[in-house]
Structure formats: structure tokens, C-alpha cells
Amino acid sequence: MGTFVYSSSCLSWKNNLSRQVISSHLVVPHGVTEKGCSRIKAAACSKEDVHVSQDCEKSGGSLNRRSTIVSGVSLISSVLLGFPGEGSAVVKQGLLAGRVPGLSEPDEEGWRTYRRPDDKSGGHGVGWSPIIPYAFSVPDNWEEVPVSIADLGGTEIDLRFANPKEGRISVVVAPVKRFSDEIGEEATIEQIGPPDKVISAFGPEVIGESVEGKVLRAEVAEHSGRKYYQFELEPPHVMITATAAGNRLYLFNVTGNGLQWKKYYKDLRKIAESFRVV
């Protein structure tokens, strides 16, 4: 088991990533218009007062830059990994983004395979190509968790799964151009960097803090000619599987609290190692 530390060779890349994290996570949610009036707020105003624009204009003024930054910083890890409070935050954030069932029937061991449906929405912006599907396995009692189009974790969170008693999953699908202009349309994880550089750069984006001294395990697996970097971190308890396909980076994150980690570790690791881009 090795522990990776930061090196000077990746400082400029990390600085660029930090700026991207700020832009991805600390902005005002999409539900807020330029004048500060959210669609949710506007709907409420229309029922309570005919002077919608005046009320919304006043309420938007209170959403200043300081409060946005403070709330954004505190949500980086809690929203992505799904720490306490996640459920209510996600469910209340508006319309769902193209949820389409993708679970198979249980196999003889009671496990289901989720495959991202080809027609599921989630292009993440103008000019992006369709997402290459991915798949993973979960026990029969795990379910998809709604991801809002205004998810505070950012538009790059493509999917969430969870079992309240066992743990949580999040899938991040990000454009490789966010990290390097030199990577083409057929990216590989090796082009993005070696395992130590990848976890040093992207680990903080997943857990919301430095990964120095937290990497318990780092392995490289290969399936159907594609490399997968597999990491285990503590604290917090999280396993990250990273790979690349097309023009996307995929981060598959499996996490749980201390009790879940102790009781369901074998299943959580099986979930983490089942991730494939198909």
C-alpha cells in the first residue's frame, strides 16, 4: 500500500484544476437568474403576491458573493460523496435530468447490473458528444438517487446510487479538455497521467480536501484493453475508480460511513471494482 504526495511536476495542473473546481462548484445554481430570482422562488412569489418581479428582485439581493462562496466550499465533499443532509438537498432541487431505468434483473447472487442507457440525457453543454455508456454491479437493494439539473455538485455528476444502510455511489463524467488541451477525442487514463498524479489532482475534487497521507491502496487494472486506476482513501472512507474514454474522464466513487465500511466493505469493494466503460 502506498501513499502519494504532491510533486512540483503537477502543481500547475492542480492550480488549473482548482480554478475549475471553483467554477464548477461555487457558482450560483442554474435555478438562479441573472437578477437573482430562482424559478422556484418565482413560482412561490406568484402564488403569494402579484408583484413577482419586485419580490424576487429583493430576495436575489441577499444572495451575495460571500454567502455563495461559503456555502459552495462546504458542499464540495458533502454533495459529491453524499454525507448527511444529501438526500433533502438533492430531492428538493427541481426537475430530474433524463432519468431512464438501466438496472438488470438480479442474478443468482442477488446482484443487478446497471448500464447507462444510450438515450439518457446528460450532454453537459453545447458541443459535447454523447457520453459513452458505463456499467457497474450493485446488490439488489441499491437504488438510483435522483440527480437534479441544478445539482449543487455540478453538472458533471452523471449518476447517484445508494442504499441508506450500506453506502453511496456517485459517477462523475468530465471533459478531458478541462484538464489538458493536448488530449484528443480518444483519451486514455494513461494520457491524463500516472496513478499518483491522477489521485493527487482529482482526489481533492471528490473528497473536498487534500489526499496527502490518505491513500491506502492504489492499483491498476485492465479490462478489454482499457486501463482503470483504483484507489482506496481514508478518511473519509471512499474508493475511486478512474478511467477515460472518448473525450471524457470517468470517476466512479463508492463511499460509506465508518459502520458501513466495517460491515459492508466486501460488497463496497466489489461494487467499486465492477465499474466498466462499455
Side-chain angles (χ1 to χ4, degrees):
M1 296 183 183
T3 298
F4 296 123
V5 297
Y6 293 99
S7 62
S8 59
S9 63
C10 66
L11 286 178
S12 62
W13 191 30
K14 286 182 76 275
N15 288 337
N16 290 334
L17 178 65
S18 297
R19 288 193 292 271
Q20 293 291 349
V21 172
I22 294 295
S23 65
S24 296
H25 296 284
L26 305 187
V27 296
V28 178
H30 295 301
V32 180
T33 66
E34 294 180 358
K35 293 184 179 181
C37 175
S38 70
R39 291 188 293 269
I40 297 173
K41 176 66 178 176
C45 289
S46 64
K47 293 180 180 180
E48 297 174 5
D49 195 326
V50 295
H51 302 293
V52 176
S53 60
Q54 294 179 2
D55 288 348
C56 291
E57 190 77 28
K58 292 177 181 179
S59 65
S62 64
L63 191 61
N64 56 43
R65 184 173 181 273
R66 177 183 177 86
S67 63
T68 303
I69 292 177
V70 171
S71 62
V73 171
S74 66
L75 283 168
I76 288 178
S77 60
S78 63
V79 171
L80 186 56
L81 291 181
F83 292 140
E86 172 211 5
S88 59
V90 172
V91 172
K92 292 180 181 180
Q93 287 182 63
L95 299 177
L96 302 182
R99 291 184 66 222
V100 179
L103 275 174
S104 70
E105 291 298 316
D107 62 17
E108 61 277 7
E109 296 180 354
W111 283 62
R112 294 175 179 260
T113 296
Y114 174 87
R115 183 188 186 278
R116 189 185 195 278
D118 294 331
D119 55 353
K120 178 181 177 181
S121 64
H124 300 312
V126 177
W128 283 41
S129 61
I131 294 174
I132 298 175
Y134 53 81
F136 58 89
S137 298
V138 291
D140 188 24
N141 52 1
W142 283 61
E143 297 181 351
E144 184 177 353
V145 176
V147 176
S148 167
I149 57 175
D151 196 306
L152 297 180
T155 58
E156 292 169 357
I157 296 182
D158 189 63
L159 181 74
R160 294 184 190 274
F161 253 75
N163 178 298
K165 295 182 179 180
E166 298 179 15
R168 298 169 299 279
I169 294 169
S170 65
V171 184
V172 174
V173 183
V176 295
K177 293 295 185 182
R178 179 154 85 82
F179 316 111
S180 173
D181 292 330
E182 299 177 0
I183 301 177
E185 293 298 308
E186 297 298 329
T188 65
I189 193 67
E190 303 98 294
Q191 290 175 323
I192 294 176
D196 59 339
K197 185 174 183 179
V198 168
I199 193 60
S200 293
F202 301 113
E205 187 163 346
V206 173
I207 69 173
E209 58 186 278
S210 169
V211 300
E212 186 173 357
K214 300 179 185 294
V215 182
L216 302 182
R217 175 173 57 89
E219 299 173 353
V220 179
E222 183 171 339
H223 303 283
S224 302
R226 191 184 308 281
K227 295 285 182 65
Y228 296 80
Y229 295 167
Q230 299 172 339
F231 307 97
E232 181 175 344
L233 282 67
E234 183 183 328
H237 297 291
V238 60
M239 288 182 239
I240 302 171
T241 300
T243 194
N247 60 2
R248 304 296 210 294
L249 168 74
Y250 294 75
L251 297 175
F252 182 70
N253 313 301
V254 180
T255 187
N257 60 38
L259 181 60
Q260 292 169 335
W261 211 250
K262 182 178 181 180
K263 188 173 182 179
Y264 299 104
Y265 177 85
K266 184 178 179 180
D267 282 352
L268 294 174
R269 181 161 178 173
K270 182 177 178 179
I271 294 171
E273 294 180 352
S274 72
F275 182 76
R276 304 282 189 276
V277 173
V278 296

